[in-house]
Structure formats: structure tokens, C-alpha cells
Amino acid sequence: MVLIKILSLILIFPSLFVGNKLLKKKDVNFFDLLIIFNTLYFVIIPLKSNQAVFQQIGNISTSTTILVFFYLFFFFCTLFIASKLTSDYKDSPINITRFLKNYPNLDVSHTLKLGLIILPLFSLTYYVPHMSTIAAFEEIRDAGTRISYEQSSMIKFFGTIFKLGLIVPMVLFFQNLKTKKIDILITASLLLFLVNFLILPRRELLEFFLFAGLILYSTNRSLINKRLMLYAICLGSFMYFVYFPFYNVIRRTTVEFDMNSPISSIKNIYNYGIDTFSEKNEKATELTDSRAIGLYRALYWLADNDADDKISWGEITLSAVDHAIPKAINPKKGLGSEHLLEKRMNTPNDSADSILLLALADYSMLGALFTVLIYYFIYLIWYWVYRGSEILGGKTITSLYVVHFLFSISFSIEQKLDGILANTVAYILVVALIILIHKLNLIRILPFETKNTLL
């Protein structure tokens, strides 16, 4: 444990470069965000974890510890180089904060604003029950495993539309913040989205707040001061020390969810958590740390159980691509990368997923480089789809969706390549919906002259 903590301290240096950017209110790009969030998983969490949490990794040799350290070190160095090279792409979505800062204002019809209120309301009875990990939804999730492939795909596709619906009110909220206006419909939409995220997995809630912070940093940087930073620290502390353990308590609730009364059911779930929180808080807090170290543990298990003759040189990557292709096009698609990784780690249990983990199994130490290349290749797919949509349908908010996707995969380190590629397929389909919304004049991108008069 001591050796891991010492080596983790060395890995913190690349993040100091990004931290300096943030302190000086400079622009950050996709690879900067990857550095920040990978530092959280592979540096901060190991540094703060206690002996009880480390015991879940098992008995790891010194050689394995050093191997994992160098693998992560090469990965962070590659991200650092990619960040430097990316700074030349001035008008590209990959330069996330600069792109958002220079993005023109939006004008949205009242019809679409009402739709953005209905969307999260409908989600409470359709999407959330299938995706939440709270025990009250277990019967619905179990039923979801028995539905057809087409129905399952529709639920996941709705999740893509749900994320699209979130982007619009969030951008509009901070756009209005510049002019000190409050749009009641947009504020109501965001609050309803927040209700959804409060019962979705914790990662989704955290992503909601962090993406809002990213837009604020990009578009209203002058508002960021010591007082705002203090508020952000207080919010982060509350979420980590209070809400996350509280969420782990309500995950095991005995309350049943009634589809006909979703609001009252959610209220009952939270009442259960409040009533039992003091009794189960300590165990829930430890569970929070134990779940957080899951990806770190998976890397060690793979490094400890793998051998040079097992390196698959692209086999697992191809299985992820194969699994992501829709069944209508690929009827004989395989089971995906997860099953192959579990075999390589010699574990029958569901393990943490990530491109970095897949690349270690597929390319050994070169996986650090391949991980960054895969991230960049995914961006290129999204970029050319976005550019193609502009050629076919004119200028739309598709580029904002690219920005959100980049942020989402940089934050969701525990996401397998299969899922990212499947979301890419869904993203291509949603582009048609975005073009339709623009054609119906439900949303317009204002000229830059209009934006300048609003500043």
C-alpha cells in the first residue's frame, strides 16, 4: 500500500499542468479533461483509500505494482503530448472550453421549452426505472432483461435523446445568466432533469453538475471567484460525504416503486433513506470508497494474471466494435469485450470497464498509446458526422452534442468501448432529429452580431 501511494504521488504531476490552466482561467481541451478525471481514478482515490479498501485488490507483488505504475505513467505522458498538439485546433469541438466560449447564442421556441419539461417527466416512468440501480426498480430492470432486443435498443436510444434534451436548457440557462435573465420554463426543465439524476447512478448526477460547471467556466469565466469556488467545494463535499453514502443506503431500499405514482414513490424512497441513514451511514461510506477503486483494482488483476503470450493484439478491440454494430446490420454479433476481459483477469464477476483496461489486455504496455489513439479516433467519427450534418442540413446544434459526448467519455472513465461505439451509432441517428428540430424552427442559432449585443 505504501509503495502504491508513493508511486501515485509521481503520477499527480501531469494534472498540475491542467490545474495551472484552470487557475489562470485558460482554455482546456478534451485531453486535459482526460488527464483530470484519470488522475481522480488512478491518483487521488488510491492516495485517500485506507487499508480496508486496498485489501480488495488482494496480494499484489512489487513487480506488478511497478508495471501498473509505468503503464499509467506512459498513458499520462501521452495525454500530455496530445493536449499540447490539440491546442492548435482553434475552432474544433476538441478544444472544448474555447469552442463553447465562441459558440453563438440560441433562440428556442416556447413549444420546444415545453417539450424540454415533458421529456424529463416522461423519463421518470420510462428511462429511469430501467437505468437506476436503486432496489425499488429491480423488478422493472429484471423485466427489462427479458424484453426484445429492439425494445432494449429503444430504451438506450431514448437515453441519447434524454442527454440531448439536457444540453439545450443547460446552455440556455448560462446564456441567460450573462444578461441576468431568468427563464422559468428553462429553470423548471433543469430542475426536473436534476430529479432524474438524483435517482440515476451517482456518476450521472456528478456528470450533470460537472458539465454545468464546464459551461459556466467556458462562457462566464468572469463570474468565477473565491466565493464561487467555496460554494463549489461545499457542494462537492456534501455530495461525497453525505449524498453518495445516502445514495448507497437508498440503493437497498425496501420501498416498492409504483409506475402509476412515480413522484410519490420517489418521495417514499428518499424518506426511507432519511429514516435509516444514521444507522447505515458508516457502511455506506466504506462502500463508496470500495466501488470507486474498482477500476484501479481491475488494472492490477489484469496485470497480475496476464502474460505476454496472452496479448491479443486487437482481438478485444474488434470484439467491442462487433458488439456495438446494431443487430439489424450485424445479426451474428458477439458478446463484446467484457467477457473476454473477465477471462483474462480470471474472475467470474463483473469487473470495471474502460478503454485503458481493454488496451492493456490487447496491446500490453503499448496500450497507453492505443488508448489515446482510440479516444481521438472516436472524436474524428463524431467530428465528421457533425460536419456532414452541416453540409446536408445546415448549421445546427449538433456540434454541442459532440462537446457533450467528449466531456461524457472523459468523465466516464469506467465505460467500455462497446458502449461508447454504440452511443456513437445512436448519436448518428439523433443528428436526423436535430436537423428536423431546426427545420421546424423550434430552435435557431443566432448570428454572432446578436451574441455580441447580448454580452
Side-chain angles (χ1 to χ4, degrees):
M1 184 180 80
V2 176
L3 178 60
I4 290 176
K5 288 182 179 289
I6 292 173
L7 295 176
S8 296
L9 281 173
I10 299 174
L11 293 175
I12 206 169
F13 284 100
S15 65
L16 297 180
F17 160 74
V18 183
N20 184 57
K21 275 188 172 184
L22 293 172
L23 287 174
K24 293 182 178 180
K25 298 183 181 180
K26 293 183 177 180
D27 290 312
V28 295
N29 56 53
F30 175 44
F31 296 108
D32 290 328
L33 293 180
L34 282 169
I35 290 174
I36 292 173
F37 294 124
N38 277 280
T39 299
L40 171 65
Y41 274 89
F42 301 118
V43 180
I44 305 301
I45 290 176
L47 283 173
K48 70 170 290 296
S49 297
N50 57 29
Q51 183 64 42
V53 175
F54 272 102
Q55 283 176 351
Q56 298 186 40
I57 299 178
N59 295 321
I60 301 296
S61 66
T62 300
S63 59
T64 300
T65 301
I66 294 175
L67 174 68
V68 172
F69 162 75
F70 275 109
Y71 182 64
L72 292 174
F73 179 75
F74 292 149
F75 174 57
F76 279 115
C77 288
T78 308
L79 286 176
F80 180 80
I81 294 170
S83 172
K84 288 289 190 181
L85 295 175
T86 301
S87 60
D88 294 332
Y89 295 83
K90 294 184 179 180
D91 299 319
S92 168
I94 203 168
N95 265 316
I96 293 177
T97 58
R98 182 185 299 172
F99 190 82
L100 287 173
K101 177 176 62 179
N102 296 326
Y103 199 81
N105 282 335
L106 303 178
D107 180 35
V108 177
S109 69
H110 285 288
T111 303
L112 184 57
K113 289 178 182 178
L114 289 173
L116 293 173
I117 291 177
I118 295 171
L119 179 65
L121 279 174
F122 177 69
S123 173
L124 289 173
T125 59
Y126 178 70
Y127 180 65
V128 168
H130 288 92
M131 304 306 293
S132 176
T133 56
I134 294 175
F137 304 101
E138 188 171 350
E139 184 177 339
I140 298 171
R141 291 197 307 271
D142 289 343
T145 61
R146 298 189 293 272
I147 62 178
S148 67
Y149 171 82
E150 289 74 19
Q151 289 173 309
S152 175
S153 298
M154 282 303 298
I155 293 170
K156 293 176 182 177
F157 181 64
F158 179 84
T160 311
I161 298 175
F162 178 77
K163 294 294 178 64
L164 169 64
L166 170 65
I167 296 168
V168 177
M170 195 171 280
V171 170
L172 284 171
F173 178 82
F174 287 105
Q175 174 183 305
N176 293 333
L177 193 63
K178 295 177 184 177
T179 54
K180 299 181 180 179
K181 293 180 180 178
I182 296 178
D183 190 314
I184 296 176
L185 293 178
I186 292 300
T187 305
S189 174
L190 282 178
L191 289 174
L192 287 171
F193 272 108
L194 178 58
V195 172
N196 279 260
F197 286 116
L198 285 172
I199 48 182
L200 284 168
R202 298 170 305 164
R203 181 182 65 251
E204 304 280 352
L205 175 65
L206 190 54
E207 183 178 330
F208 171 81
F209 282 118
L210 288 174
F211 187 64
L214 181 72
I215 297 177
L216 173 65
Y217 179 85
S218 303
T219 60
N220 297 271
R221 222 165 291 185
S222 60
L223 297 179
I224 300 175
N225 51 37
K226 291 181 180 179
R227 178 180 294 182
L228 185 63
M229 292 300 296
L230 180 61
Y231 290 155
I233 291 171
C234 290
L235 176 62
S237 299
F238 173 79
M239 290 180 64
Y240 185 82
F241 293 107
V242 179
Y243 184 76
F244 285 175
F246 175 81
Y247 183 87
N248 279 329
V249 170
I250 64 174
R251 278 188 65 190
R252 288 156 179 77
T253 180
T254 55
V255 177
E256 294 184 3
F257 180 78
D258 184 0
M259 292 279 284
N260 297 318
S261 305
I263 302 299
S264 60
S265 296
I266 292 168
K267 181 181 177 182
N268 292 335
I269 290 171
Y270 273 78
N271 286 338
Y272 167 86
I274 293 170
D275 294 339
T276 60
F277 182 68
S278 59
E279 175 189 346
K280 301 179 180 180
N281 178 37
E282 185 176 346
K283 184 177 180 181
T285 303
E286 185 175 326
L287 183 60
T288 298
D289 290 340
S290 300
R291 287 179 60 82
I293 208 169
L295 178 55
Y296 196 72
R297 179 182 61 213
L299 273 178
Y300 272 88
W301 282 358
L302 180 61
D304 200 47
N305 289 289
D306 226 8
D308 290 341
D309 59 350
K310 292 182 180 179
I311 298 173
S312 39
W313 298 112
E315 178 186 349
I316 304 178
T317 304
L318 290 175
S319 72
V321 175
D322 171 72
H323 187 63
I325 300 173
K327 217 169 189 177
I329 302 174
N330 183 23
K332 296 183 179 180
K333 60 191 270 182
L335 298 175
S337 62
E338 186 175 355
H339 295 276
L340 295 175
L341 282 172
E342 287 172 2
K343 288 181 182 179
R344 293 282 288 274
M345 285 186 283
N346 293 330
T347 175
N349 302 321
D350 179 30
S351 61
D353 299 301
S354 78
I355 297 178
L356 189 64
L357 181 68
L358 177 150
L360 177 60
D362 237 2
Y363 311 104
S364 188
M365 296 299 283
L366 289 174
L369 172 62
F370 273 93
T371 300
V372 179
L373 291 176
I374 290 171
Y375 275 126
Y376 186 67
F377 180 70
I378 292 168
Y379 161 72
L380 285 180
I381 295 175
W382 292 343
Y383 177 77
W384 287 113
V385 170
Y386 137 64
R387 292 294 295 162
S389 73
E390 287 198 335
I391 294 172
L392 296 174
K395 192 170 181 62
T396 66
I397 60 168
T398 306
S399 56
L400 286 179
Y401 210 41
V402 175
V403 168
H404 180 267
F405 253 124
L406 290 175
F407 173 81
S408 183
I409 66 170
S410 66
F411 172 73
S412 302
I413 303 301
E414 290 185 270
Q415 188 177 14
K416 55 186 176 183
L417 180 60
D418 317 40
I420 295 174
L421 293 175
N423 288 338
T424 301
V425 175
Y427 160 60
I428 294 172
L429 297 175
V430 167
V431 168
L433 177 61
I434 293 173
I435 294 174
L436 177 63
I437 290 173
H438 278 271
K439 293 296 183 183
L440 294 174
N441 289 321
L442 297 176
I443 187 170
R444 292 188 306 121
I445 298 177
L446 299 177
F448 276 100
E449 293 77 10
T450 307
K451 176 172 182 175
N452 292 334
T453 61
L454 293 173
L455 292 177

